[in-house]
Amino acid sequence: MKYLTFAIPSYNSEDYLQRCVDSLLKGGDKVEILIVDDGSTDKTAAIADDYAAKYPNIVKAIHQKNAGHGGAVNNGLAHASGKYFKVVDSDDWLDEAALSAVLNHLESWDNNGQNVDMLVCNYVYENFYQHKSFVVNYRHVFPNDQICSWDDTKRFGVTQYLIMHSLIFKTALLRRSGVELPEHTFYVDNLFAAKPLPLVHKICYLDVDLYRYFIGRADQSISEDVMISRIDQQIRVTKLVADCTQHDYDISPKLRTYLVRSVSVMLAVSSVHLLLMGTKEALDKRHDMWQYVKRLDRRLYWRLRLHSVSAWTYLPTKLGRLLTVLGYRTSRLLVKFQ
C-alpha cells in the first residue's frame, strides 16, 4: 500500500526536476511519485520516463497536453493511489528527515485504524540567490503531534497561512470535496488549500520543516512584475476562493474565520497589484472584484470592508489609494522573502 502520493506538476523543469524527485525517493516503497509532464518542450518528459523505468514500483510518468499547473494537479489527483496526497512543485524539494517523520505517522495511523483528514507541516522559503531562508511554522496555532479539530486551533499569525506547501490531504477527502483547479491559470494553489477545508475534521500538525520552497527567480509567479502581468488570473482565483466561503457544511466558527481571512488576503493582494497598475481599467477591475464579493454575500463583504486587512486596500479617494501603495511598499521593505 502507498501511504502518500506525490504529484509533481512539471513544465520545462529539466534544471530542477532531478533534485525534486530524488528528495521524494527517500520515501521508498511507502510513496508513489507521479511526474506530470505538462506538455514540456525540453528534456522534462525524458527525465520523467527515465525515473519511471528505473523505479517502476514508485514512479509513474504522466504526459499531457499543456494545461497549466492546475491541469497537472487535477491529472495527478485522478491517478493517485496513495491514501494521502501532496503536491510538490518541480523546482521545490522535501527534507529527508521530515519526510521520514511524516511517513512514520501515516503508517502508524493506518496500523492503528486512526483517520486524519489533513496533516500540516512547516515550509521553508529558500532563496538561493540571496542565501537566505525563512521558516513558516504553526507552533502557536495547532498542538504539536496531536490529532485535533478546528475548535482546538488558536489565532493564526501574520505569516501563518495554510498553503499548498504546508498541507497533506487524505486523497478520498480531496475527491469528495470536488476540488478542480482551473487550467492555464496561476495561483490556483490558493484554491487547492481552501476548497477542501470544510470537509476537514481531524487535523494533525507536525513541527517539522518538510517543504523547501525555492524562490528568488525573476520569472517566478510570485514576483511583483509577473503577478501584475497575470492580474486577470489572480482576480479569477480570488473570486473562486471567495466562493469557498459559501457551502452547505456546518463548520467550526474558527474555520469560518480562517476562510474569511483567506479571502481578505487574496482581495488585498489583488487590489494592491491593481493599484500599482494605476490605470482606469485596473481601478474598474478592482471595483468589479469587490462588487462580486458583495453580490456573493453582503455580510461577508461588509466584514471584509470593515474588519480585515483587505479594507486598507480599498480605501476611497486618491489619497486612500496612495496610502495603500505606501503601506505595501513599506511592508515589502520590512518582510523580504524574494
Side-chain angles (χ1 to χ4, degrees), residues 10-289:
S10 305
Y11 176 73
N12 289 355
S13 305
E14 64 179 14
D15 293 335
Y16 313 104
L17 186 56
Q18 182 175 347
R19 178 182 62 189
C20 177
V21 177
D22 286 349
S23 74
L24 306 184
L25 284 170
K26 303 297 184 182
D29 289 332
K30 296 179 182 180
V31 304
E32 174 185 55
I33 302 172
L34 305 179
I35 305 174
V36 186
D37 164 37
D38 186 34
S40 299
T41 58
D42 65 358
K43 298 178 182 178
T44 296
I47 294 172
D49 288 337
D50 286 345
Y51 272 108
K54 189 174 182 180
Y55 302 96
N57 295 323
I58 300 176
V59 180
K60 295 179 182 178
I62 301 172
H63 303 285
Q64 65 178 37
K65 293 182 179 179
N66 181 259
H69 187 270
V73 172
N74 295 339
N75 207 350
L77 181 58
H79 285 83
S81 64
K83 187 171 182 179
Y84 290 85
F85 183 85
K86 182 167 184 60
V87 179
V88 182
D89 288 339
S90 58
D91 54 350
D92 301 332
W93 67 100
L94 300 188
D95 177 81
E96 181 178 355
L99 175 57
S100 178
V102 166
L103 291 172
N104 287 339
H105 277 73
L106 297 184
E107 184 174 16
S108 175
W109 292 334
D110 188 67
N111 291 337
N112 295 322
Q114 292 177 299
N115 286 304
V116 174
D117 298 319
M118 181 177 76
L119 180 62
V120 182
C121 299
N122 308 332
Y123 63 97
V124 185
Y125 289 101
E126 295 280 5
N127 193 320
F128 274 12
Y129 306 105
Q130 295 183 5
H131 305 289
K132 295 180 180 179
S133 62
F134 180 83
V135 180
V136 177
N137 66 65
Y138 302 88
R139 290 170 191 154
H140 304 294
V141 179
F142 302 99
N144 182 39
D145 200 3
Q146 298 179 34
I147 298 177
C148 65
S149 69
W150 292 111
D151 292 335
D152 299 314
T153 61
K154 297 180 181 179
R155 186 181 181 88
F156 284 80
V158 174
T159 62
Q160 292 172 313
Y161 296 92
L162 298 174
I163 68 173
M164 179 181 279
H165 305 321
S166 64
L167 301 177
I168 298 174
F169 286 109
K170 184 180 290 185
T171 306
L173 181 143
L174 283 174
R175 289 171 175 158
R176 195 164 78 251
S177 75
V179 61
E180 185 172 356
L181 306 185
E183 297 184 353
H184 301 292
T185 306
F186 284 85
Y187 315 113
V188 291
D189 50 324
N190 295 285
L191 179 60
F192 183 88
K195 178 75 171 179
L197 294 185
L199 291 177
V200 171
H201 299 290
K202 294 183 179 181
I203 309 163
C204 184
Y205 165 61
L206 295 182
D207 187 6
V208 294
D209 300 341
L210 176 65
Y211 197 99
R212 305 295 168 138
Y213 182 18
F214 180 42
I215 64 170
R217 299 197 314 274
D219 63 341
Q220 202 160 22
S221 62
I222 59 172
S223 71
E224 183 179 294
D225 291 343
V226 174
M227 292 186 78
I228 289 174
S229 71
R230 295 170 177 163
I231 191 64
D232 289 337
Q233 298 178 45
Q234 197 178 143
I235 292 171
R236 181 184 184 189
V237 176
T238 298
K239 292 177 178 179
L240 290 171
V241 172
D243 291 343
C244 293
T245 64
Q246 311 297 303
H247 48 74
D248 299 326
Y249 306 115
D250 182 19
I251 65 173
S252 164
K254 290 187 176 181
L255 173 56
R256 190 177 304 279
T257 297
Y258 175 79
L259 288 173
V260 171
R261 182 172 181 257
S262 297
V263 178
S264 174
V265 171
M266 292 291 294
L267 279 169
V269 170
S270 298
S271 294
V272 166
H273 286 110
L274 287 163
L275 286 177
L276 291 174
M277 294 171 68
T279 64
K280 182 182 183 304
E281 180 185 7
L283 294 179
D284 288 343
K285 287 181 178 181
R286 185 181 68 140
H287 175 75
D288 291 343
M289 178 177 64

